[in-house]
Amino acid sequence: MTSPAFVRTLLAAITLTACASAAWSQEVVLKVAHFLPPGSTAHAKFITPWCDKINKESAGKLKCQIYPAMQLGGTPPQLIDQARDGIADIVWTLPGYSAGRFPAVEAFELPFMTKTAEGSSRALWEYVQVNKLDQTEFKDVHPILFHVHDKGQLHLVKGPIKAMVDFKGLKLRAPTRQTNKFLAALGATPVGMPVPQVSDALSKGVIDGAMLPWEVVPSVKVQELVKFHSESDPNSRAMYTTAFIFAMNKAKYDSLSPELKKVIDANSGAEASAWVGKVWDQSATGARKLAADRGNQFNTIGLDELRKWEQAGQVVVDSWVNEVTAKGFDGKALLKSAHDLIQKYDPQ
């Protein structure tokens, strides 16, 4: 005769199995928000393919509803909090849009650090893990991947920049605190603003040019608003780059079944970060061609001149080391960690 205890245990096991099966079979729609238009590289070549991939690998159980161009409301600097608070389930944004809030990750935004977006994106993911920034700076969200963009260049209205003296008197857009400081060190007047504001600022003469990677130029039509493009020597490291995060609401991630978590995890991490970086590297050529086809003028800043810029930018590096050290990090150790990992994946 079967004991009542055995029956209760059996029923409990059946219930748990049924619940697990129901959780796996239930469709989950993820609200994914970002700040660029649907035609942007981020939307068309990264976020949409990523969403398609998790949909396929989950047998249709994970679906995305993508909200480009801040369609959920708010401003680009608020995206990280939208992920934290559950307004969006996943966001793509720049930690640097929240000035001073994520100082340790800014190591990758210092002058002349990175070379390719693919190698440095892999390095950035590892940097976050090795230095446990996912448990400190990014503890309020579930990071899916980190990446950087292709080399930042100078896009100008009135004339090219060939030497450091040419920065004097120019009002130039910069995306983050570190690039603002770098432009000031070079002699320009930095004007900080998110990418969506750049076109309007250029057309109204608020700024004389902008620091931008080629990838994002077409999405805000910068090639139609400037006539000059000053690029760093191809053999140099980037004048600057910017760190990005693709992050998920922690409660939303935790609510997924183990099977669906595995799908998200399989599309997260170092490989996913490197893939997105490669997308940015590959996008630069086509974006640059759009400017060339308009007859815009290009000049290359040589290595000797760039060394002068790097020397001028050392004050930015020193300031960052001191600042993060004052906030409880080991600034020198973080800087060495960033350099070593970039060199590991992007040797020169």
Side-chain angles (χ1 to χ4, degrees):
M1 181 175 177
T2 304
S3 69
F6 176 79
V7 172
R8 287 195 297 270
T9 301
L10 181 61
L11 288 173
I14 292 170
T15 302
L16 285 172
T17 302
C19 288
S21 177
W24 168 244
S25 63
Q26 187 176 11
E27 180 182 293
V28 177
V29 178
L30 300 170
K31 294 180 293 182
V32 183
H34 66 89
F35 58 90
L36 288 178
S40 64
T41 296
H43 184 100
K45 296 184 179 181
F46 154 41
I47 296 172
T48 298
W50 185 90
C51 285
D52 290 344
K53 193 166 183 285
I54 65 167
N55 179 255
K56 181 179 179 181
E57 293 177 7
S58 67
K61 304 303 184 297
L62 287 173
K63 296 185 177 181
C64 294
Q65 178 64 52
I66 305 175
Y67 296 87
M70 301 307 300
Q71 288 179 0
L72 288 179
T75 62
Q78 294 172 331
L79 278 166
I80 195 74
D81 288 336
Q82 290 185 0
R84 180 196 66 191
D85 298 338
I87 295 170
D89 298 314
I90 298 175
V91 300
W92 174 73
T93 189
L94 290 73
Y97 277 173
S98 303
R101 184 172 169 185
F102 306 98
V105 82
E106 290 178 333
F108 279 68
E109 298 177 348
L110 296 171
F112 299 100
M113 289 287 287
T114 65
K115 191 172 184 184
T116 71
E118 181 179 1
S120 293
S121 295
R122 188 185 294 275
L124 176 54
W125 174 267
E126 188 168 334
Y127 172 84
V128 170
Q129 306 308 309
V130 167
N131 294 293
K132 303 187 186 307
L133 301 187
D134 55 332
Q135 301 172 29
T136 54
E137 291 199 338
F138 301 103
K139 62 181 175 58
D140 293 331
V141 294
H142 176 81
I144 294 172
L145 60 85
F146 292 87
H147 74 96
V148 300
H149 60 58
D150 50 301
K151 288 183 175 182
Q153 310 288 8
L154 294 158
H155 311 275
L156 304 137
V157 175
K158 299 174 183 177
I161 289 178
K162 297 181 179 179
M164 197 157 65
V165 66
D166 298 329
F167 282 98
K168 189 174 181 180
L170 293 180
K171 294 177 292 182
L172 299 177
R173 176 267 179 181
T176 64
R177 290 195 315 147
Q178 301 309 322
T179 42
N180 270 284
K181 291 177 181 179
F182 183 40
L183 283 174
L186 294 172
T189 299
V191 182
M193 65 179 67
V195 165
Q197 297 177 15
V198 171
S199 297
D200 190 53
L202 283 169
S203 63
K204 292 180 178 178
V206 174
I207 54 176
D208 302 307
M211 289 187 97
L212 289 168
W214 274 114
E215 171 276 323
V216 80
V217 164
S219 66
V220 287
K221 300 183 179 180
V222 168
Q223 79 278 6
E224 300 176 13
L225 299 168
V226 304
K227 293 187 178 297
F228 303 91
H229 308 277
S230 296
E231 303 174 296
S232 57
D233 188 290
N235 294 313
S236 73
R237 292 198 176 269
M239 283 186 274
Y240 90 97
T241 192
T242 301
F244 294 81
I245 185 173
F246 195 49
M248 190 170 184
N249 174 265
K250 292 187 79 167
K252 190 69 174 183
Y253 176 81
D254 291 341
S255 73
L256 297 177
S257 68
E259 291 82 2
L260 293 182
K261 282 181 182 176
K262 286 179 182 178
V263 175
I264 297 294
D265 294 346
N267 291 281
S268 302
E271 293 300 325
S273 298
W275 164 65
V276 178
K278 187 175 182 179
V279 168
W280 258 249
D281 283 332
Q282 292 174 336
S283 68
T285 301
R288 188 183 188 279
K289 185 177 184 299
L290 292 176
D293 290 346
R294 290 183 62 84
N296 291 2
Q297 297 181 31
F298 297 78
N299 72 287
T300 300
I301 305 150
L303 290 173
D304 289 343
E305 179 63 26
L306 289 172
R307 287 191 189 96
K308 298 175 186 177
W309 298 16
E310 187 170 1
Q311 290 170 2
Q314 186 59 42
V315 66
V316 181
V317 177
D318 294 341
S319 173
W320 176 83
V321 168
N322 291 335
E323 179 185 347
V324 295
T325 299
K327 292 186 176 182
F329 296 98
D330 185 336
K332 290 183 179 179
L334 286 178
L335 184 62
K336 184 178 187 304
S337 175
H339 273 301
D340 290 348
L341 288 167
I342 290 169
Q343 182 65 23
K344 177 181 176 181
Y345 295 115
D346 243 349
Q348 184 180 23

